[in-house]
Amino acid sequence: MITIIAMFETKPECSEAFRNLAAPCVEASRKESGNVSYGLYTGKNDANKYFFVEVWKDEAAIATHNASEHFQKFAGAFMPLLAKDPIIEQTVELA
């Protein structure tokens, strides 16, 4: 399994728009056959920080997700809402 942690920081005035844009992507992503879990979280002390925590069965599942209509819609629209570039890391479990 592969876990992806994607960190986004929105402009304060764009936080609600980001959540509204992300919600359909989260819902659809959870239904993908290669998805193990998919969550969107916000910072406890900073409501403009968002974290996607995604677990996928394998690289093929990630590739299918990245090509999906719901992900492409999200990916094509979020950048103007951000205060800085996102940080996206793929991780593998060590223990």
Side-chain angles (χ1 to χ4, degrees), residues 1-65:
M1 284 190 280
I2 301 167
T3 300
I4 297 174
I5 301 170
M7 299 169 277
F8 297 81
E9 184 173 341
T10 63
K11 298 171 188 168
E13 68 275 13
C14 296
S15 191
E16 183 176 354
F18 183 85
R19 286 192 309 272
N20 291 337
L21 180 64
C25 184
V26 171
E27 183 179 336
S29 298
R30 288 177 175 164
K31 296 176 183 174
E32 291 182 51
S33 64
N35 182 257
V36 177
S37 68
Y38 199 102
L40 176 62
Y41 304 85
T42 190
K44 184 176 179 181
N45 298 314
D46 188 343
N48 297 318
K49 290 186 179 175
Y50 293 91
F51 306 86
F52 287 92
V53 180
E54 314 167 24
V55 181
W56 298 95
K57 290 182 181 177
D58 52 30
E59 289 287 348
I62 295 169
T64 299
H65 169 68

Side-chain angles (χ1 to χ4, degrees), residues 6-9 18 78-79 82-89:
M7 299 169 277
F8 297 81
E9 184 173 341
F18 183 85
F78 69 74
M79 282 304 291
L82 301 185
K84 57 185 176 180
D85 288 341
I87 300 170
I88 301 170
E89 294 286 339

